[in-house]
Amino acid sequence: MKKSLLVIVILFFGIYMFGCAKKESGMEESQVPMSIETISTINAASPAVTPETSVPAPKGQAVQASAGAPAQLEPLPPAGPYKPTGKDIQSALKNAGFYAGEVDGKIGPKTKAAIEAFQKANNLKPDGKVGPKTWV
């Protein structure tokens, strides 16, 4: 009984070691150093990156790609609640038909009146402030 158990343990250990050795040799074969010529050939033969085939951007950065131009990395807004800028607010109000002034980013009386009109039209408390309920 003890001999058969020992044989089974040795057999499993041998299979385990053979499998690991095979994986390691496969890794060594695939990690062959490349020359500059090989890399440039690969880069020249690579298809262009399109929005459909693009790779996700690193955390904290967004990719903005256009046809024929390399992708540019732009920082994403900070995590947490989004606070819109004055231009964002005025543009949104203008697009919704509540603001007719110039989009200059300054929150003045015309912009506050437009915010209140938007809030009234959407059954929100008309306080003239753009909070999370107003911005959504």
Side-chain angles (χ1 to χ4, degrees):
M1 178 70 179
K2 289 183 180 181
K3 280 187 176 184
S4 60
L5 183 61
L6 181 64
V7 169
I8 292 172
V9 169
I10 292 173
L11 182 63
F12 279 118
F13 182 73
I15 292 171
Y16 173 76
M17 291 304 292
F18 176 73
C20 290
K22 187 175 182 181
K23 288 179 188 175
E24 287 176 10
S25 67
M27 289 296 289
E28 290 170 0
E29 291 172 4
S30 66
Q31 295 181 354
V32 177
M34 292 185 165
S35 67
I36 298 295
E37 292 82 21
T38 306
I39 293 172
S40 63
T41 305
I42 291 172
N43 287 339
S46 297
V49 175
T50 63
E52 295 83 24
T53 62
S54 64
V55 178
K59 187 176 180 180
Q61 295 179 335
V63 175
Q64 181 181 5
S66 61
Q72 300 293 323
L73 296 179
E74 294 180 4
L76 291 174
Y82 175 70
K83 184 175 179 184
T85 64
K87 286 187 177 185
D88 291 339
I89 295 167
Q90 289 173 334
S91 295
L93 289 169
K94 194 166 200 164
N95 291 337
F98 290 95
Y99 182 70
E102 184 181 335
V103 178
D104 58 4
K106 298 176 184 174
I107 306 296
K110 289 182 183 178
T111 306
K112 286 191 179 192
I115 293 168
E116 289 174 2
F118 174 82
Q119 290 170 331
K120 286 178 187 175
N122 288 285
N123 298 321
L124 298 169
K125 180 182 173 187
D127 59 2
K129 298 177 183 176
V130 180
K133 290 182 181 178
T134 302
W135 187 248
V136 173

